[in-house]
Amino acid sequence: MAAAAAGTPVFLEVRTQLRSALLILGEPKEGGTPMDISITPSSLQVKTPADCTELRLPAEVRLVPSSCRGLQYVAGDGLHLRLQVWAESNAKLISMFNQSSQARECCTFYCQSCGEVVIRDRKLLRVLPLPSENWGALVGEWCCHPDPFANKPLHPQENDCFIGDSFFLVNLRSDLWQPRPELAPVETHCLSSENHFKLKPKANTKVICKRCKVMLGETMSSETTKFYMTEIIIQPSERNFPIIPRSQFVQSVIAQCLVELSTARSTFRFTIQGHDGKVYILLWLLNSDSLVIESLGSSRGITKFPLLEDILKADSSSAWNAVKVLYQPCVKSRNEKLSSAWESDISIHALTLPSATCLELLLILSRNNATLPPSLRYMNSFQLGCFPLPCLLGH
C-alpha cells in the first residue's frame, strides 16, 4: 500500500469494546513522497526515503492485518483505513480517592495550582461517598413515616471526608491553619432534595489559596468546607507534592467524574456550571473505551499528538485511554435555548466547578478539538473533544 508525503501525521484510535481501529494518515504538508505502510499484529510501520516511523501497540492490543477495509481519501484529512483488533480490557480506573488504601492514613491536602498546603497531616478514619443529589425526594417512597432526615444535613466529623460528584466535604475544626474565606460564613439550612447545604444568596463564602489566590472551594458552615476536586490534590503525608500540568489534571478529573457517573447512574449528558450557577458547557459522553496510540522511537519521522503532549512529558507510554465527548459552549449567550432545555431535563446531571475552571475546561476542549483530524472534530451541531483517562494499563 502506498501513500504520499514524508512526515505524514498518524492518528490511530482503537475502540476496545467494539474491537475496531481507525487509522488516519494525514495530508502531506508539501509535495508528495512515496510512502510504504506495513501492518503487523503488534506494530504499524511507515517508511519513506527520508525516515521510518513505527507505532508499537501495547501488549493487550493486537491488529488483524487481513481485516484492512474501507480505504478512502478524505479531503483535508488524508487516508482513512479501518481494521479489526483483538483487545483485552485490562485498564483499571485510578480512583480520585482510594477509599481502601488512604482511609486511616494521614493525608495532606494541597492546592493543585501552586502546591500550597491546605490541610496538613489529617488522619481520615472515614472516607464516604455522598448519596446522589436527589436522594431526599425518594425518601418518601421508602418510608411509611415522616422523613427522618428532614433538616439534618450530613456534616463530616473531624476525621471524615465525604465525597460528592465533583467535591470533597471536610471538617476544619481542629486545623490550626485554615483556608481564608473572603467573607465570614453565614447561617445554612438543608434542602430536602439534596444532601448538602444552601447559603444565603448574597453571601460570599469562597475559599481561596493563600499563595496563588485560586478559588479552592466554599465554606458551607462554621466547620464544614467544600473543596472542588479540580483544585485539590490529596496525598499520603509521607509523599511529596506531585507536579502535574494543570490541563492534564483538570482533564483527568473531569474524565473520571464522567465515567464514574455514567457507570453508576446511566447518565451520559452533563451541564458544567460555575459556582455562580451559570452554565458554561453542555457535555455529552460519547464513549470511554477509546485507546489513542502514537508513534514512539528514535526515528526522525515521529510525530507527537498535541493532545497528549503534557502527558508524554511525564510518561513514555505509547497508549492512552481516552474519554470522547460532544460539547457545546454556552458562553456569551451561545446555545441559550439548548442550555435551557438541558437544565430542565431531569435526566441530565449538573457538575459544579469554580467558574474560572469552567472557562479553563472550555479552552482545553477547544484546544483538543483543534488537534483532532478535521473529519473528527464535529458531529451534527456538536464539537468533539477527548480527555485522557487516568488508568492503569496492563502491559
Side-chain angles (χ1 to χ4, degrees):
M1 180 163 45
T8 301
V10 179
F11 182 93
L12 180 65
E13 179 191 3
V14 176
R15 293 291 305 277
T16 55
Q17 292 183 5
L18 299 179
R19 295 190 172 183
S20 68
L22 171 64
L23 172 63
I24 299 179
L25 301 176
E27 290 269 23
K29 294 181 179 180
E30 294 180 0
T33 302
M35 180 169 63
D36 294 326
I37 303 171
S38 175
I39 298 176
T40 68
S42 60
S43 66
L44 171 79
Q45 191 177 74
V46 180
K47 290 183 177 180
T48 69
D51 51 29
C52 177
T53 301
E54 186 172 10
L55 231 70
R56 294 190 180 276
L57 305 181
E60 67 271 15
V61 177
R62 287 294 178 266
L63 298 175
V64 182
S66 60
S67 67
C68 295
R69 66 189 187 279
L71 178 64
Q72 62 175 330
Y73 173 80
V74 177
D77 234 16
L79 289 178
H80 284 221
L81 177 66
R82 291 194 176 274
L83 304 93
Q84 183 180 354
V85 299
W86 294 103
E88 298 179 6
S89 183
N90 292 334
K92 181 180 179 182
L93 187 67
I94 298 176
S95 176
M96 184 69 59
F97 201 126
N98 191 320
Q99 298 180 31
S100 60
S101 66
Q102 290 192 15
R104 301 185 181 278
E105 289 186 5
C106 283
C107 296
T108 297
F109 290 54
Y110 298 93
C111 168
Q112 194 278 327
S113 297
C114 70
E116 177 75 2
V117 173
V118 179
I119 302 176
R120 188 186 301 275
D121 297 335
R122 169 65 67 88
K123 188 172 185 180
L124 299 175
L125 301 180
R126 296 194 305 170
V127 179
L128 303 173
L130 288 168
S132 66
E133 74 280 3
N134 296 319
W135 74 273
L138 301 176
V139 171
E141 303 295 330
W142 297 338
C143 302
C144 59
H145 48 78
D147 182 1
F149 306 106
N151 300 318
K152 293 182 180 180
L154 292 181
H155 292 275
Q157 299 302 309
E158 182 177 335
N159 299 111
D160 293 344
C161 179
F162 293 166
I163 304 176
D165 295 335
S166 59
F167 60 88
F168 305 109
L169 285 184
V170 295
N171 188 302
L172 296 182
R173 174 176 49 194
S174 63
D175 286 275
L176 297 178
W177 184 93
Q178 295 190 17
R180 184 168 47 196
E182 294 183 356
L183 290 179
V186 296
E187 182 182 357
T188 66
H189 65 277
C190 180
L191 292 179
S192 60
S193 61
E194 57 185 311
N195 196 38
H196 36 97
F197 313 89
K198 182 178 181 181
L199 298 174
K200 292 181 179 179
K202 294 183 180 180
N204 186 353
T205 58
K206 291 195 296 184
V207 175
I208 61 174
C209 174
K210 284 184 175 181
R211 179 187 294 173
C212 66
K213 306 304 180 184
V214 165
M215 179 180 176
L216 303 176
E218 299 176 76
T219 301
M220 310 309 294
S221 73
S222 59
E223 297 177 355
T224 301
T225 298
K226 173 200 288 186
F227 290 113
Y228 291 107
M229 291 180 179
T230 53
E231 316 307 318
I232 292 290
I233 288 182
I234 303 176
Q235 286 283 102
S237 295
E238 64 270 15
R239 298 183 188 175
N240 295 325
F241 171 73
I243 299 176
I244 304 174
R246 175 63 181 167
S247 62
Q248 177 188 337
F249 182 78
V250 171
Q251 290 179 84
S252 297
V253 170
I254 297 302
Q256 181 173 334
C257 288
L258 298 181
V259 172
E260 291 183 349
L261 287 170
S262 64
T263 301
R265 306 182 190 177
S266 297
T267 299
F268 301 95
R269 290 187 294 168
F270 304 85
T271 58
I272 305 298
Q273 63 182 30
H275 66 280
D276 54 4
K278 179 183 177 181
V279 174
Y280 287 80
I281 312 171
L282 307 179
L283 279 183
W284 196 329
L285 179 61
L286 193 58
N287 67 270
S288 58
D289 68 329
S290 289
L291 190 64
V292 178
I293 303 172
E294 72 151 6
S295 55
L296 290 177
S298 59
S299 79
R300 291 179 295 167
I302 291 176
T303 301
K304 293 183 182 295
F305 293 140
L307 172 63
L308 304 180
E309 183 177 355
D310 289 341
I311 295 176
L312 290 169
K313 292 177 183 177
D315 197 302
S316 60
S317 174
S318 64
W320 284 93
N321 288 71
V323 173
K324 290 173 65 177
V325 298
L326 303 176
Y327 72 96
Q328 288 277 21
C330 296
V331 295
K332 296 183 178 179
S333 301
R334 296 177 64 182
N335 299 302
E336 284 185 325
K337 290 184 179 180
L338 183 59
S339 175
S340 179
W342 278 42
E343 287 184 81
S344 60
D345 190 332
I346 61 173
S347 68
I348 296 175
H349 191 81
L351 287 176
T352 302
L353 303 170
S355 298
T357 302
C358 294
L359 293 173
E360 187 178 2
L361 180 61
L362 184 56
L363 289 175
I364 291 172
L365 281 167
S366 299
R367 184 195 68 179
N368 289 355
N369 176 267
T371 66
L372 294 171
S375 65
L376 302 183
R377 295 177 187 174
Y378 294 90
M379 183 176 292
N380 297 329
S381 61
F382 283 80
Q383 299 180 66
L384 192 144
C386 292
F387 295 133
L389 183 62
C391 57
L392 300 173
L393 298 179
H395 290 285

